[in-house]
Amino acid sequence: MKNHKQIFLLYSCDAWKSNDSMKLLTATTSTTRLRRFIESKIMSGDMRYADSGETYCEKKAVQQFRADWKTITRAGINSQLDEGFIDYVYDGEEI
C-alpha cells in the first residue's frame, strides 16, 4: 500500500538574483514547522509577505501571515509571499 503522507516543500524564488531560482529551503511533514520556518524567513527579511501590493513591516507581515495561514489557500499564500514558494508532494512521489 502506498504511503499518502504529504511532504511540504518551501523554495526560495529569486529568479532576478541568481540562475538557481527555485532552491529548496526545507521539506517537512509538519505544517506547524513549515509555518514557523516561513515566519522566521519573514522576520529576518529573507522573504516578504504583502497583501494587494501593500508592504508590511516584518512584525505586521508575520501577524498577517499567521492569520491568513488559517483562512486562505496555499495558492493565496503563495500569491502574497515574495521570494518564497510553498508546494507539496506525497511520500515516494517523483518530483
Side-chain angles (χ1 to χ4, degrees), residues 28-61:
T28 182
T29 58
S30 168
T31 56
T32 301
R33 189 171 294 139
L34 177 64
R35 180 184 50 80
R36 288 181 181 161
F37 188 83
I38 295 169
E39 288 171 3
S40 73
K41 290 296 186 184
I42 294 169
M43 283 303 292
S44 70
D46 292 330
M47 291 182 184
R48 291 177 307 216
Y49 193 74
D51 183 20
S52 302
E54 180 181 346
T55 304
Y56 303 124
C57 69
E58 285 85 358
K59 187 175 179 178
K60 171 79 171 146

Side-chain angles (χ1 to χ4, degrees), residues 1 10-11 26 29 37 39-40 42 52 64 67 73 80 90:
M1 182 174 201
L10 178 65
Y11 295 92
T26 193
T29 58
F37 188 83
E39 288 171 3
S40 73
I42 294 169
S52 302
Q64 186 63 50
T73 65
Q80 297 179 157
Y90 289 100

